[in-house]
Amino acid sequence: MATPTYTHGGWRPSDDRFLEIVGQPLFRTLVDLQDLTTTETALFWSERGVKSVHLPITTNTISSPMGLGSDSLPVEIDLFGQRTFLADSMQFMLEYGCRLSPSGSWYLMPSFRGEDADETHLNQFFHSEAELPGGLDECIDAVNDYMRRLAQAVLDRYADDVEAIAGTTEHLRQMAGLETFPRITFEEAVAHLGDDAEAVEHHNGWRTLSRHGERRLLNEISPILWVTHYDHLSVPFYQAYGDEEGRTALNGDLLFGIGETVGCGERHIDGETTRKALAHHEVPEEEYAWYVRMKDTHPQHTSGFGLGIERWLMWVLQQKDIRELQLAPRLNGVSLTP
C-alpha cells in the first residue's frame, strides 16, 4: 500500500493552542458536552441491559477499509516487531461481545484512520459503537432512541451554552421531538437526485452517494434522514444481504449535519454466508479466519452501529471544521503539542 501524503487541507494548530483555548466558551462547553455524551451513553445502554466491554486499541482484523466504497485507510504499526493495526472500529469484537452478553455490547473509545484529515474527517476520533441482537430495523430503532436521548440531554443541561455558541437549539429540539426519523432507500435517493452527475458516484458494479448528494437529500427531503439498502459492493463484506441476488445490503446511514454521522448494519448470521460475502467482495478469507470460525461455532443474528462523536458535537455546536472539535488535535505524520 502506498504511503499517504498528509496535507490536512493546510490546517495545523499552533504550538500555543493548548494554552489559548483555556477559558474559551467553545472549549469549556465542548468538555461539558463530551462528559454529557459519555454519561448519557452509559446510562442509555445500562437501562437496556447492554454491557460495556473493555477492548484493546490494537487489532489484526480491520473493518472499515474492507468495502469497495470505503475511502478509509488502516493505520498499521510495528508493536515490538509484531505487525498490527490501530483499531478503525471494534465492530468485530463487539460481535464477539454479543456471544458473551446476549443483550448486546457497546463501547466508546478512540478509532484511528489513515486517510488525510479535513473539515469533516479526523485521524483520531471517538467512536460510540454498539452491537445488538436482532436485525436492521431493531438497530435503527435503537439508534433513533439513542440520538433523541442525547439531544434531549443537551437541551436539559446545556441549552443556553449551546445557543450562545451555535446561535440556535432548534436543530436539537427537532431531533428530540421526532417520533420517527424519516427513512428512504438508496434507490429512492438515486431517483430523487435524478441526473445530477455530482450526487451519485458510479463505479464498476456499484454506486454510492457523494457528500453533495447527501446534502441535497438533507436540504430537499429532511435535515435528519436515514438512507438504507445501499449497493452491497459499496459497503464492507460483513453487512448482511438485502435480497437473494446479493445486490443490496441490510445497512443504513443516518444523515444530518455534514452528512453521514451514524453507520448501521445487520450482519451475516453464520460462517457459510460470511464466506460467500468474502468471495463476493474478493477479500481473502484467511485474514478473517477467526471471525468466520466464530460464526461457524456460534451463529447469531445481530446488527450494530457506530456514531462519530466529534461529528455529533460538530452538529450540536453548529461548527464548520471538525478539527476544532478536539481538545488535543492529532494529525497523522505531524508532531503536535501537547
Side-chain angles (χ1 to χ4, degrees):
M1 179 179 296
T3 301
T5 300
Y6 299 111
T7 62
H8 309 290
W11 185 93
R12 179 170 175 168
S14 73
D15 289 341
D16 295 328
R17 180 184 185 271
F18 76 105
L19 298 173
E20 293 166 351
I21 68 173
V22 174
Q24 291 187 15
L26 170 63
F27 293 97
R28 291 202 171 185
T29 301
L30 180 61
V31 169
D32 289 336
L33 294 176
Q34 288 175 344
D35 177 71
L36 182 73
T37 301
T38 300
T39 301
E40 290 296 327
T41 298
L43 288 172
F44 178 82
W45 292 122
S46 178
E47 291 165 3
R48 292 170 175 245
V50 179
K51 304 297 185 182
S52 169
V53 290
H54 293 187
L55 299 171
I57 63 169
T58 56
T59 179
N60 292 324
T61 314
I62 53 175
S63 59
S64 291
M66 286 299 101
L68 296 175
S70 173
D71 58 1
S72 176
L73 295 172
V75 179
E76 182 176 340
I77 63 170
D78 183 295
L79 190 64
F80 299 100
Q82 176 66 45
R83 174 181 178 266
T84 188
F85 299 92
L86 297 177
D88 57 305
S89 162
M90 273 296 167
Q91 175 227 303
F92 292 142
M93 287 299 295
L94 289 173
E95 286 193 58
Y96 177 63
C98 283
R99 273 71 181 175
L100 300 168
S101 170
S103 295
S105 61
W106 72 275
Y107 87 150
L108 199 164
M109 60 187 281
S111 285
F112 303 83
R113 300 291 167 87
E115 66 272 16
D116 205 3
D118 59 27
E119 291 88 347
T120 61
H121 295 88
L122 294 175
N123 294 138
Q124 297 183 29
F125 66 96
F126 272 78
H127 216 171
S128 179
E129 293 191 285
E131 193 74 18
L132 308 167
L136 177 65
D137 291 338
E138 290 91 343
C139 190
I140 285 177
D141 288 342
V143 173
N144 293 348
D145 290 344
Y146 178 47
M147 300 313 301
R148 280 191 291 259
R149 169 72 168 261
L150 292 180
Q152 188 60 56
V154 175
L155 290 169
D156 291 343
R157 294 277 302 278
Y158 298 114
D160 291 343
D161 295 328
V162 169
E163 186 167 7
I165 294 167
T168 181
T169 57
E170 182 55 36
H171 55 305
L172 288 159
R173 298 184 190 281
Q174 181 180 24
M175 178 175 282
L178 282 176
E179 291 187 11
T180 59
F181 287 20
R183 176 172 165 177
I184 61 173
T185 65
F186 180 79
E187 289 297 342
E188 290 169 336
V190 170
H192 175 86
L193 295 168
D195 58 0
D196 185 346
E198 297 181 5
V200 180
E201 298 175 357
H202 292 261
H203 302 269
N204 185 21
W206 54 276
R207 304 157 296 168
T208 192
L209 298 174
S210 68
R211 184 58 54 80
H212 165 71
E214 290 180 342
R215 287 173 177 158
R216 273 197 56 194
L217 295 174
L218 292 173
N219 290 332
E220 297 169 17
I221 297 180
S222 171
I224 302 169
L225 180 67
W226 280 103
V227 181
T228 67
H229 296 78
Y230 284 68
D231 290 348
H232 203 280
L233 286 178
S234 75
V235 303
F237 73 87
Y238 50 75
Q239 307 286 33
Y241 287 111
D243 57 80
E244 293 183 359
E245 295 77 21
R247 186 177 58 86
T248 63
L250 289 175
N251 81 303
D253 284 346
L254 180 58
L255 312 181
F256 61 91
I258 61 173
E260 184 263 320
T261 304
V262 179
C264 180
E266 186 171 328
R267 319 304 184 198
H268 304 296
I269 295 174
D270 55 36
E272 179 182 359
T273 311
T274 305
R275 287 187 183 90
K276 290 180 180 178
L278 284 163
H280 182 200
H281 285 249
E282 300 180 358
V283 176
E285 183 179 332
E286 56 267 24
E287 295 183 11
Y288 298 89
W290 76 268
Y291 182 68
V292 178
R293 287 177 60 201
M294 177 185 73
K295 290 178 178 286
D296 280 335
T297 307
H298 300 287
Q300 190 174 356
H301 186 204
T302 70
S303 57
F305 74 91
L307 163 69
I309 295 298
E310 286 84 0
R311 286 192 175 186
W312 153 253
L313 294 174
M314 184 183 180
W315 175 78
V316 171
L317 295 169
Q318 298 287 283
Q319 297 299 293
K320 302 298 184 183
D321 195 322
I322 198 170
R323 292 168 295 192
E324 288 293 345
L325 273 294
Q326 303 172 95
L327 300 179
R330 291 294 182 264
L331 299 172
N332 289 348
V334 179
S335 177
L336 297 171
T337 302

